[in-house]
Amino acid sequence: MMVHVQLEHKGAILTNRPFLFTVVFVSGMTTLAVELSASRLLAPYYGTSLLVWANLIGLILVYLTVGYFLGGRWADRKPYPGVLYQITAWAAFLIGLVPFMAQPILYWSVDSFVNGSVGVFAGSLVAVIALLAVPVVLLGTVSPFAIRLAVRDVNTTGNVAGGVYAISTVGSIVGTFLPVLVLIPTIGTRRTFLVFSVLLLGLSLIGLAQTSLRLATGYATMLVVIGALIIFGPEGLVKPGRGLVYE
């Protein structure tokens, strides 16, 4: 019992609440931004039918549900801010890889459709959406983990939980409109993924630096990889436009 109390106390001391809530906000914003950007990533190849949207939204909700469940268990076992910031760092890094990993699958799916291989075409749609599984599951762990870190008195648990989910939801609202109204029309889908990836990864590195400079230095290599992809990765934008069928 004494060890359990000490762990809780240590977690509370190391938690910078304003920064923690900023990470919650950006994670919520990134979740919705990824979902909407993924729809644009798929649109030139699969269209924007109700079937495509149903698959995308349904699977995103499944991933978040798994993340909520795992986040609660993870937070109870390792209630440390450094663990949370490692989770968000991996989520951000994988989000930055999504457009680069998805493109060859999308090209393959189009070729399969032209050649009459409908099964491969449908399977590739599932494969692309599956690319979102791990990062979105990791993003789903953020809110329950943040609640565990932010609670310092059992009597305020409800207030803290409500506040965390409110902050996350406000972030999701911003993540709904910012990509659609500003980023995708201006810089394209791929760079929109990268903007949110770099933003969340940068915050994660700052959080890690507060707990362990060694960890922050190691995870900084993720930022280097994303930067290299931005500079040396293949060109191409997927922007909404009249008459765009395939890019």
Side-chain angles (χ1 to χ4, degrees):
M1 176 61 71
M2 286 299 295
V3 173
H4 181 63
V5 171
Q6 288 173 355
L7 286 176
E8 289 189 336
H9 186 55
K10 184 178 180 182
I13 288 176
L14 291 176
T15 303
N16 179 339
R17 271 189 170 185
F19 183 80
L20 176 66
F21 293 155
T22 301
V23 172
V24 170
F25 175 85
V26 173
S27 297
M29 180 172 62
T30 301
T31 302
L32 263 292
V34 165
E35 181 175 351
L36 290 166
S37 299
S39 72
R40 286 304 313 164
L41 195 66
L42 296 170
Y45 305 89
Y46 297 102
T48 55
S49 69
L50 287 176
L51 180 62
V52 172
W53 271 107
N55 277 283
L56 182 59
I57 294 173
L59 287 175
I60 291 291
L61 289 174
V62 169
Y63 302 154
L64 288 174
T65 300
V66 174
Y68 297 149
F69 176 77
L70 293 178
R73 294 175 64 87
W74 207 337
D76 283 341
R77 292 181 180 179
K78 295 186 177 181
Y80 308 113
V83 176
L84 174 61
Y85 300 139
Q86 289 180 71
I87 292 171
T88 54
W90 276 108
F93 178 66
L94 293 173
I95 286 167
L97 298 182
V98 165
F100 298 98
M101 297 173 66
Q103 190 171 36
I105 298 175
L106 290 168
Y107 281 133
W108 173 55
S109 71
V110 170
D111 290 337
S112 301
F113 182 73
V114 171
N115 295 324
S117 217
V118 179
V120 175
F121 179 71
S124 58
L125 170 61
V126 174
V128 171
I129 297 178
L131 290 175
L132 304 174
V134 176
V136 175
V137 166
L138 292 177
L139 288 173
T141 68
V142 173
S143 289
F145 210 118
I147 291 169
R148 178 65 176 82
L149 294 177
V151 169
R152 298 174 185 174
D153 182 351
V154 176
N155 294 324
T156 64
T157 301
N159 185 46
V160 171
V164 167
Y165 278 107
I167 292 170
S168 178
T169 302
V170 171
S172 297
I173 293 170
V174 176
T176 299
F177 292 105
L178 182 61
V180 173
L181 300 179
V182 180
L183 295 178
I184 293 176
T186 305
I187 63 176
T189 301
R190 178 180 301 173
R191 290 174 185 167
T192 299
F193 271 100
L194 293 171
V195 164
F196 286 98
S197 170
V198 170
L199 177 60
L200 183 58
L201 183 53
L203 276 176
S204 302
L205 293 177
I206 294 171
L208 284 172
Q210 296 175 2
T211 60
S212 171
L213 284 175
R214 181 182 61 82
L215 272 177
T217 302
Y219 275 82
T221 56
M222 292 180 172
L223 197 58
V224 175
V225 172
I226 296 298
L229 288 174
I230 294 172
I231 297 171
F232 301 109
E235 293 293 328
L237 299 175
V238 179
K239 291 185 179 180
R242 177 176 293 181
L244 176 62
V245 176
Y246 170 76
E247 180 171 333

